[in-house]
Coordinates of all heavy atoms in Angstrom, one line a residue:
M1 N 11.2 10.0 15.2 CA 10.4 10.1 13.8 C 11.3 9.7 12.7 O 10.7 9.1 11.7 CB 9.8 11.5 13.7 CG 9.1 11.7 12.6 SD 7.3 11.3 12.8 CE 6.6 11.9 11.2
G2 N 12.5 10.0 12.7 CA 13.4 9.8 11.6 C 13.5 8.3 11.3 O 13.4 7.9 10.1
A3 N 13.5 7.4 12.3 CA 13.7 5.9 12.1 C 12.4 5.4 11.5 O 12.3 4.5 10.7 CB 13.9 5.2 13.4
T4 N 11.2 6.0 12.0 CA 10.0 5.6 11.4 C 9.8 5.9 10.0 O 9.4 5.0 9.1 CB 8.8 6.3 12.3 OG1 8.8 5.9 13.6 CG2 7.4 5.8 11.7
L5 N 10.1 7.1 9.7 CA 10.0 7.5 8.1 C 11.0 6.6 7.3 O 10.6 6.2 6.2 CB 10.5 9.0 8.0 CG 9.3 9.9 8.5 CD1 9.8 11.4 8.4 CD2 8.1 9.8 7.8
L6 N 12.2 6.3 7.9 CA 13.2 5.4 7.1 C 12.5 4.1 7.0 O 12.7 3.5 5.8 CB 14.5 5.4 7.9 CG 15.6 4.6 7.2 CD1 15.8 5.2 5.8 CD2 16.8 4.5 8.1
A7 N 11.9 3.6 7.9 CA 11.4 2.2 7.9 C 10.3 2.1 6.8 O 10.2 1.2 6.1 CB 10.9 1.7 9.2
V8 N 9.4 3.1 6.9 CA 8.3 3.2 5.9 C 8.8 3.5 4.5 O 8.4 2.7 3.6 CB 7.3 4.2 6.3 CG1 6.3 4.5 5.2 CG2 6.6 3.9 7.6
A9 N 9.9 4.2 4.3 CA 10.4 4.4 3.0 C 11.2 3.1 2.5 O 11.0 2.9 1.3 CB 11.4 5.6 3.1
V10 N 11.7 2.4 3.4 CA 12.2 1.1 3.0 C 11.2 0.1 2.4 O 11.4 -0.6 1.4 CB 13.1 0.4 4.0 CG1 13.4 -1.0 3.8 CG2 14.3 1.2 4.3
V11 N 10.0 0.1 3.1 CA 8.9 -0.8 2.7 C 8.4 -0.3 1.4 O 8.2 -1.1 0.5 CB 7.9 -0.9 3.8 CG1 6.6 -1.5 3.3 CG2 8.3 -1.4 5.1
V12 N 8.2 0.9 1.2 CA 7.7 1.5 -0.1 C 8.8 1.2 -1.2 O 8.4 0.9 -2.3 CB 7.4 2.9 0.1 CG1 7.1 3.6 -1.2 CG2 6.2 3.1 1.0
A13 N 10.0 1.4 -0.9 CA 11.0 1.2 -1.9 C 11.0 -0.3 -2.3 O 11.1 -0.6 -3.4 CB 12.4 1.5 -1.3
A14 N 10.8 -1.2 -1.4 CA 10.7 -2.7 -1.7 C 9.6 -2.8 -2.6 O 9.7 -3.7 -3.6 CB 10.7 -3.5 -0.3
L15 N 8.4 -2.3 -2.4 CA 7.3 -2.6 -3.2 C 7.5 -2.0 -4.6 O 7.3 -2.6 -5.7 CB 6.1 -1.9 -2.7 CG 5.5 -2.5 -1.4 CD1 4.5 -1.5 -0.9 CD2 4.9 -3.8 -1.7
V16 N 8.3 -0.8 -4.8 CA 8.6 -0.3 -6.1 C 9.6 -1.1 -6.8 O 9.5 -1.4 -8.0 CB 9.1 1.1 -5.9 CG1 9.6 1.6 -7.2 CG2 7.9 2.0 -5.4
I17 N 10.6 -1.7 -6.1 CA 11.6 -2.6 -6.6 C 10.8 -3.7 -7.2 O 11.2 -4.4 -8.2 CB 12.8 -2.9 -5.7 CG1 13.6 -1.6 -5.5 CG2 13.6 -4.1 -6.1 CD1 14.6 -1.7 -4.3
R18 N 9.9 -4.3 -6.3 CA 9.2 -5.6 -6.7 C 8.4 -5.4 -7.9 O 8.4 -6.3 -8.9 CB 8.3 -6.0 -5.6 CG 7.3 -7.2 -5.9 CD 6.4 -7.3 -4.7 NE 5.4 -8.3 -5.0 CZ 4.2 -8.2 -5.3 NH1 3.7 -7.0 -5.2 NH2 3.4 -9.2 -5.5
T19 N 7.8 -4.3 -8.1 CA 7.1 -3.8 -9.4 C 8.1 -3.7 -10.5 O 7.9 -4.3 -11.6 CB 6.3 -2.5 -9.2 OG1 5.4 -2.7 -8.1 CG2 5.6 -2.1 -10.5
A20 N 9.2 -3.2 -10.4 CA 10.2 -2.9 -11.4 C 10.8 -4.4 -11.9 O 10.8 -4.6 -13.1 CB 11.4 -2.2 -10.9
V21 N 11.0 -5.3 -10.8 CA 11.5 -6.6 -11.4 C 10.4 -7.4 -12.1 O 10.7 -7.9 -13.2 CB 12.0 -7.3 -10.1 CG1 12.2 -8.9 -10.5 CG2 13.2 -6.7 -9.5
A22 N 9.2 -7.3 -11.7 CA 7.9 -7.9 -12.4 C 7.9 -7.2 -13.8 O 7.6 -8.0 -14.7 CB 6.8 -7.8 -11.5
E23 N 8.1 -6.0 -13.8 CA 7.9 -5.3 -15.2 C 9.0 -5.8 -16.2 O 8.8 -6.0 -17.4 CB 8.0 -3.7 -15.0 CG 7.8 -3.0 -16.2 CD 6.4 -3.1 -16.8 OE1 5.4 -3.4 -16.1 OE2 6.2 -2.9 -18.1
L24 N 10.3 -6.0 -15.6 CA 11.3 -6.5 -16.5 C 11.0 -7.9 -16.9 O 11.3 -8.2 -18.1 CB 12.7 -6.5 -15.6 CG 13.3 -5.0 -15.5 CD1 14.5 -5.2 -14.6 CD2 13.7 -4.5 -16.7
R25 N 10.4 -8.7 -16.2 CA 10.1 -10.1 -16.6 C 9.0 -10.1 -17.4 O 9.0 -11.0 -18.4 CB 9.8 -11.0 -15.2 CG 10.9 -11.1 -14.4 CD 10.7 -12.0 -13.3 NE 11.8 -12.2 -12.4 CZ 11.8 -12.6 -11.2 NH1 10.7 -12.9 -10.5 NH2 13.0 -12.8 -10.6
E26 N 8.0 -9.4 -17.2 CA 6.8 -9.4 -18.0 C 6.2 -8.0 -18.3 O 5.7 -7.4 -17.5 CB 5.8 -10.3 -17.4 CG 4.5 -10.3 -18.2 CD 3.3 -11.1 -17.4 OE1 3.6 -11.7 -16.5 OE2 2.1 -11.0 -17.9
P27 N 6.6 -7.4 -19.3 CA 6.1 -5.9 -19.5 C 4.6 -5.9 -19.4 O 3.8 -6.7 -19.9 CB 6.5 -5.8 -21.1 CG 7.7 -6.6 -21.3 CD 7.4 -7.9 -20.5
G28 N 4.2 -4.8 -18.7 CA 2.8 -4.6 -18.4 C 2.3 -5.0 -17.1 O 1.3 -4.6 -16.7
S29 N 3.0 -5.8 -16.5 CA 2.7 -6.5 -15.2 C 2.8 -5.3 -14.1 O 2.1 -5.4 -13.2 CB 3.5 -7.6 -14.9 OG 4.9 -7.2 -14.6
G30 N 3.7 -4.5 -14.3 CA 3.8 -3.3 -13.3 C 2.6 -2.4 -13.3 O 2.1 -2.1 -12.1
R31 N 2.0 -2.2 -14.4 CA 0.8 -1.4 -14.5 C -0.3 -2.1 -13.8 O -1.2 -1.6 -13.1 CB 0.5 -1.0 -16.0 CG -0.9 -0.2 -16.1 CD -1.1 0.2 -17.5 NE 0.1 0.9 -18.0 CZ 0.5 0.9 -19.3 NH1 -0.3 0.3 -20.2 NH2 1.5 1.6 -19.7
R32 N -0.4 -3.5 -14.0 CA -1.5 -4.3 -13.4 C -1.4 -4.2 -11.9 O -2.4 -4.3 -11.2 CB -1.4 -5.7 -14.0 CG -2.0 -5.7 -15.4 CD -2.2 -7.3 -15.8 NE -1.0 -8.1 -15.7 CZ 0.0 -8.1 -16.6 NH1 -0.3 -7.4 -17.8 NH2 1.0 -8.9 -16.6
Q33 N -0.1 -4.2 -11.4 CA 0.1 -4.3 -10.0 C -0.4 -3.0 -9.3 O -0.9 -3.0 -8.1 CB 1.5 -4.5 -9.6 CG 1.9 -5.9 -9.8 CD 3.4 -6.1 -9.4 OE1 4.0 -5.2 -9.0 NE2 4.0 -7.3 -9.6
W34 N -0.4 -1.9 -10.0 CA -0.7 -0.7 -9.3 C -2.1 -0.1 -9.8 O -2.5 0.9 -9.4 CB 0.4 0.4 -9.7 CG 1.6 0.1 -9.1 CD1 2.6 -0.6 -9.4 CD2 2.0 0.7 -7.8 NE1 3.7 -0.7 -8.6 CE2 3.2 0.1 -7.4 CE3 1.5 1.6 -6.9 CZ2 3.9 0.4 -6.3 CZ3 2.1 1.7 -5.7 CH2 3.4 1.3 -5.4
T35 N -2.8 -1.1 -10.3 CA -4.3 -0.7 -10.8 C -5.2 -0.4 -9.6 O -6.3 0.1 -9.7 CB -4.8 -1.6 -11.7 OG1 -4.9 -2.9 -11.3 CG2 -4.2 -1.6 -13.1
F36 N -4.8 -0.9 -8.4 CA -5.6 -0.7 -7.2 C -5.8 0.7 -6.9 O -6.7 0.9 -6.3 CB -4.9 -1.6 -6.1 CG -3.7 -0.8 -5.5 CD1 -3.8 0.0 -4.3 CD2 -2.4 -1.2 -6.0 CE1 -2.7 0.5 -3.9 CE2 -1.3 -0.7 -5.4 CZ -1.5 0.3 -4.3
L37 N -5.0 1.6 -7.3 CA -5.1 2.9 -7.1 C -6.3 3.5 -7.8 O -6.8 4.5 -7.5 CB -3.8 3.8 -7.5 CG -2.6 3.4 -6.6 CD1 -1.4 4.2 -7.2 CD2 -2.9 3.8 -5.1
A38 N -6.9 2.9 -8.9 CA -8.0 3.3 -9.6 C -9.2 2.5 -9.2 O -10.3 2.7 -9.8 CB -7.7 3.1 -11.1
D39 N -9.1 1.7 -8.3 CA -10.3 0.9 -7.8 C -10.9 1.4 -6.7 O -10.3 1.7 -5.5 CB -9.7 -0.6 -7.5 CG -10.8 -1.6 -6.9 OD1 -12.0 -1.2 -7.1 OD2 -10.5 -2.7 -6.6
P40 N -12.2 1.9 -6.9 CA -12.8 2.7 -5.8 C -12.9 2.0 -4.5 O -12.8 2.5 -3.4 CB -14.2 3.1 -6.4 CG -14.0 2.8 -7.8 CD -13.0 1.9 -8.1
R41 N -13.4 0.7 -4.6 CA -13.5 -0.2 -3.5 C -12.2 -0.4 -2.7 O -12.2 -0.2 -1.5 CB -14.0 -1.6 -3.9 CG -14.3 -2.5 -2.6 CD -14.9 -3.7 -3.1 NE -15.1 -4.6 -2.0 CZ -15.2 -6.0 -2.1 NH1 -15.3 -6.4 -3.3 NH2 -15.3 -6.7 -1.0
A42 N -11.1 -0.5 -3.3 CA -9.8 -0.7 -2.7 C -9.3 0.5 -2.1 O -8.9 0.6 -0.8 CB -8.7 -1.2 -3.7
V43 N -9.6 1.7 -2.8 CA -9.2 3.0 -2.2 C -10.0 3.4 -1.0 O -9.5 3.9 0.0 CB -9.2 4.1 -3.3 CG1 -9.0 5.4 -2.7 CG2 -8.2 3.8 -4.3
S44 N -11.3 3.1 -0.9 CA -12.2 3.4 0.0 C -11.7 2.4 1.3 O -11.6 2.9 2.5 CB -13.6 3.0 -0.2 OG -14.1 3.8 -1.2
A45 N -11.5 1.2 1.1 CA -11.0 0.3 2.2 C -9.6 0.9 2.9 O -9.5 0.9 4.0 CB -10.8 -1.1 1.7
G46 N -8.8 1.3 2.0 CA -7.5 1.9 2.4 C -7.7 3.1 3.2 O -7.1 3.4 4.3
A47 N -8.7 4.1 2.7 CA -8.9 5.3 3.3 C -9.6 5.0 4.7 O -9.2 5.8 5.7 CB -9.8 6.1 2.5
I48 N -10.5 4.2 4.9 CA -11.1 3.8 6.1 C -10.0 3.3 7.2 O -10.0 3.6 8.3 CB -12.2 2.8 6.0 CG1 -13.3 3.4 5.3 CG2 -12.7 2.3 7.3 CD1 -14.4 2.5 4.7
T49 N -9.1 2.4 6.6 CA -8.0 1.9 7.4 C -7.1 3.1 8.0 O -6.8 3.1 9.1 CB -7.2 0.9 6.6 OG1 -8.1 -0.2 6.3 CG2 -6.1 0.4 7.5
V50 N -6.8 4.0 7.1 CA -5.9 5.1 7.5 C -6.7 6.0 8.5 O -6.1 6.4 9.4 CB -5.6 6.0 6.2 CG1 -4.9 7.3 6.7 CG2 -4.6 5.2 5.3
V51 N -7.9 6.3 8.3 CA -8.6 7.0 9.3 C -8.7 6.5 10.6 O -8.4 6.9 11.7 CB -10.0 7.4 8.8 CG1 -10.8 8.1 10.0 CG2 -9.9 8.4 7.5
A52 N -9.1 5.1 10.6 CA -9.3 4.3 11.9 C -8.0 4.2 12.6 O -7.7 4.6 13.8 CB -9.9 3.1 11.7
L53 N -6.9 3.6 11.9 CA -5.6 3.4 12.5 C -4.9 4.8 12.8 O -4.1 4.9 13.8 CB -4.8 2.5 11.6 CG -5.2 1.1 11.6 CD1 -4.3 0.3 10.6 CD2 -5.3 0.4 12.9
G54 N -5.1 5.7 11.9 CA -4.5 7.0 12.1 C -4.9 7.7 13.5 O -4.1 8.3 14.1
A55 N -6.2 7.5 13.7 CA -6.7 8.2 14.9 C -6.1 7.6 16.2 O -5.6 8.1 17.1 CB -8.2 8.2 15.0
L56 N -6.2 6.1 16.1 CA -5.6 5.4 17.2 C -4.0 5.6 17.4 O -3.5 5.7 18.4 CB -5.8 4.0 17.1 CG -7.3 3.5 17.3 CD1 -7.5 2.0 16.8 CD2 -7.7 3.7 18.7
G57 N -3.4 5.6 16.1 CA -2.0 5.7 16.2 C -1.6 7.1 16.7 O -0.6 7.2 17.4
W58 N -2.3 8.2 16.3 CA -2.0 9.5 16.7 C -2.1 9.6 18.3 O -1.3 10.2 19.0 CB -2.9 10.5 16.1 CG -2.4 11.9 16.2 CD1 -2.7 12.7 17.3 CD2 -1.4 12.6 15.4 NE1 -2.1 13.9 17.3 CE2 -1.3 13.9 16.1 CE3 -0.8 12.3 14.3 CZ2 -0.4 14.9 15.5 CZ3 0.0 13.4 13.7 CH2 0.2 14.6 14.4
L59 N -3.1 9.0 18.9 CA -3.4 8.9 20.2 C -2.3 8.3 21.0 O -1.9 8.7 22.0 CB -4.7 8.5 20.6 CG -5.9 9.2 20.3 CD1 -7.3 8.5 20.4 CD2 -6.0 10.6 20.9
H60 N -1.8 7.2 20.5 CA -0.8 6.4 21.3 C 0.6 6.8 20.9 O 1.5 6.5 21.8 CB -1.1 4.8 21.0 CG -2.3 4.5 21.5 ND1 -2.5 4.2 22.9 CD2 -3.6 4.2 21.1 CE1 -3.7 3.8 23.2 NE2 -4.4 3.8 22.1
A61 N 0.9 7.1 19.6 CA 2.3 7.3 19.3 C 2.6 8.6 18.5 O 3.7 8.9 18.1 CB 2.6 6.2 18.3
G62 N 1.6 9.4 18.5 CA 1.8 10.9 17.7 C 1.9 10.7 16.2 O 1.4 9.7 15.7
P63 N 2.7 11.5 15.6 CA 2.9 11.3 14.2 C 3.4 10.1 13.7 O 3.1 9.7 12.5 CB 3.9 12.6 13.9 CG 3.9 13.4 15.0 CD 3.5 12.5 16.2
E64 N 4.2 9.4 14.4 CA 4.8 8.2 13.9 C 3.6 7.2 13.7 O 3.6 6.3 12.8 CB 5.7 7.6 14.9 CG 7.0 8.5 15.0 CD 8.0 7.9 16.1 OE1 7.6 6.9 16.8 OE2 9.2 8.5 16.2
G65 N 2.7 7.1 14.6 CA 1.5 6.3 14.4 C 0.7 6.6 13.1 O 0.2 5.7 12.5
A66 N 0.6 7.8 12.7 CA 0.0 8.2 11.5 C 0.7 7.8 10.4 O 0.1 7.3 9.4 CB -0.2 9.9 11.6
V67 N 2.0 7.8 10.5 CA 2.8 7.5 9.3 C 2.6 5.8 9.0 O 2.4 5.4 7.9 CB 4.3 7.6 9.5 CG1 5.2 6.9 8.5 CG2 4.6 9.1 9.5
W68 N 2.5 5.1 10.2 CA 2.4 3.6 10.0 C 0.9 3.3 9.5 O 0.7 2.4 8.8 CB 2.6 2.9 11.4 CG 4.1 2.8 11.5 CD1 4.8 3.5 12.3 CD2 5.0 2.1 10.8 NE1 6.2 3.0 12.4 CE2 6.3 2.2 11.3 CE3 4.8 1.0 9.8 CZ2 7.3 1.6 10.8 CZ3 6.0 0.4 9.3 CH2 7.3 0.6 9.8
A69 N -0.1 4.2 10.0 CA -1.5 4.0 9.4 C -1.5 4.4 7.9 O -2.2 3.5 7.3 CB -2.3 4.9 10.2
G70 N -0.8 5.2 7.5 CA -0.8 5.4 6.0 C -0.1 4.3 5.3 O -0.8 3.8 4.2
L71 N 0.8 3.7 5.8 CA 1.5 2.4 5.1 C 0.4 1.3 5.2 O 0.2 0.5 4.2 CB 2.8 2.1 5.7 CG 3.4 0.8 5.1 CD1 3.7 1.0 3.7 CD2 4.5 0.4 5.9
A72 N -0.2 1.1 6.4 CA -1.2 0.2 6.5 C -2.4 0.3 5.6 O -2.9 -0.7 4.9 CB -1.7 0.0 8.0
G73 N -2.9 1.5 5.4 CA -3.9 1.8 4.4 C -3.6 1.5 2.9 O -4.3 0.9 2.2
F74 N -2.3 1.9 2.8 CA -1.9 1.5 1.3 C -1.8 0.0 1.0 O -2.3 -0.5 0.0 CB -0.4 2.0 1.1 CG 0.3 1.9 -0.1 CD1 0.0 2.6 -1.3 CD2 1.2 0.7 -0.3 CE1 0.5 2.5 -2.4 CE2 1.8 0.5 -1.6 CZ 1.5 1.5 -2.6
L75 N -1.3 -0.9 2.0 CA -1.3 -2.2 1.9 C -2.6 -2.9 1.9 O -2.8 -3.8 1.2 CB -0.4 -2.8 3.1 CG 1.1 -2.5 2.9 CD1 1.9 -2.9 4.2 CD2 1.8 -2.9 1.6
V76 N -3.5 -2.4 2.7 CA -5.0 -2.9 2.7 C -5.6 -2.6 1.2 O -6.2 -3.5 0.8 CB -5.8 -2.2 3.8 CG1 -7.3 -2.4 3.5 CG2 -5.4 -2.7 5.2
A77 N -5.4 -1.4 0.7 CA -6.0 -1.2 -0.5 C -5.4 -2.1 -1.6 O -6.0 -2.7 -2.5 CB -5.7 0.3 -1.0
F78 N -4.1 -2.4 -1.5 CA -3.5 -3.5 -2.4 C -4.1 -4.7 -2.3 O -4.3 -5.4 -3.2 CB -1.9 -3.3 -2.2 CG -1.1 -4.4 -2.9 CD1 -0.9 -3.9 -4.4 CD2 -0.8 -5.5 -2.6 CE1 -0.3 -4.9 -5.2 CE2 0.0 -6.4 -3.5 CZ 0.2 -6.1 -4.7
T79 N -4.2 -5.3 -1.0 CA -4.7 -6.4 -0.7 C -6.1 -6.6 -1.2 O -6.5 -7.6 -1.8 CB -4.7 -6.8 0.7 OG1 -3.3 -6.6 1.1 CG2 -5.1 -8.3 1.0
V80 N -7.1 -5.6 -1.0 CA -8.4 -5.7 -1.4 C -8.5 -5.9 -3.0 O -9.3 -6.7 -3.5 CB -9.2 -4.5 -1.0 CG1 -10.5 -4.3 -1.6 CG2 -9.3 -4.6 0.6
S81 N -7.7 -5.1 -3.5 CA -7.7 -5.2 -5.0 C -7.2 -6.5 -5.5 O -7.8 -7.0 -6.6 CB -6.8 -4.0 -5.5 OG -6.8 -4.1 -7.0
Q82 N -6.2 -7.0 -5.0 CA -5.8 -8.4 -5.3 C -6.9 -9.4 -5.2 O -7.0 -10.4 -6.0 CB -4.5 -8.8 -4.6 CG -3.2 -7.9 -4.8 CD -2.8 -8.1 -6.2 OE1 -2.7 -9.1 -6.8 NE2 -2.5 -6.9 -6.8
G83 N -7.5 -9.3 -4.0 CA -8.7 -10.3 -3.8 C -9.8 -10.2 -4.9 O -10.4 -11.2 -5.3
R84 N -10.0 -9.0 -5.3 CA -11.0 -8.8 -6.4 C -10.7 -9.4 -7.7 O -11.4 -9.9 -8.5 CB -11.4 -7.4 -6.5 CG -12.3 -6.9 -5.3 CD -12.7 -5.6 -5.5 NE -13.8 -5.6 -6.5 CZ -14.4 -4.5 -7.0 NH1 -14.0 -3.3 -6.4 NH2 -15.3 -4.5 -7.9
R85 N -9.3 -9.3 -7.9 CA -8.9 -9.7 -9.2 C -8.8 -11.3 -9.3 O -8.9 -11.9 -10.6 CB -7.4 -9.2 -9.5 CG -7.4 -8.1 -10.4 CD -6.0 -7.7 -10.8 NE -5.7 -6.6 -10.0 CZ -4.4 -6.3 -9.6 NH1 -3.5 -7.1 -10.2 NH2 -4.2 -5.3 -9.0
S86 N -8.6 -12.0 -8.3 CA -8.4 -13.5 -8.5 C -9.8 -14.1 -8.6 O -9.6 -15.3 -8.8 CB -7.7 -14.0 -7.1 OG -8.5 -13.7 -6.0
R87 N -10.9 -13.5 -8.5 CA -12.1 -14.1 -8.6 C -12.6 -14.2 -10.0 O -12.3 -13.6 -10.9 CB -13.2 -13.4 -7.8 CG -13.0 -13.5 -6.4 CD -13.9 -12.8 -5.5 NE -13.6 -12.8 -4.1 CZ -14.2 -12.2 -3.1 NH1 -15.2 -11.5 -3.3 NH2 -13.7 -12.3 -2.0

């Protein structure tokens, strides 16, 4: 379980660093990147992903599967929000 948590922490840290670099280049861009957390459609898509993958992951891999499902849900919410902004 330790390696799984470390891998997920590295991915989340990379996303935070990406936001920090974008914020340094263009002030306010970091806030725009994280607005998906306030988008109900994106959060719903992420939550559905977490529940679906979490159940499957728990059955097949135990708690490690649930950790990866959480990361997948986070990334799905981010992607859904990005798709809505580009239109």
Side-chain angles (χ1 to χ4, degrees):
M1 177 90 169
T4 298
L5 289 177
L6 181 62
V8 170
V10 167
V11 171
V12 172
L15 292 171
V16 170
I17 290 169
R18 176 180 173 253
T19 301
V21 169
E23 184 69 26
L24 288 172
R25 289 183 181 159
E26 181 186 344
S29 65
R31 183 176 299 153
R32 283 190 303 272
Q33 285 182 1
W34 290 86
T35 56
F36 73 94
L37 294 174
D39 181 3
R41 182 175 174 203
V43 171
S44 297
I48 291 169
T49 302
V50 168
V51 170
L53 291 179
L56 288 172
W58 190 273
L59 289 173
H60 292 286
E64 293 177 356
V67 171
W68 284 109
L71 179 63
F74 182 81
L75 294 175
V76 165
F78 179 77
T79 303
V80 167
S81 179
Q82 293 295 315
R84 289 186 68 181
R85 262 192 261 152
S86 65
R87 292 181 188 178

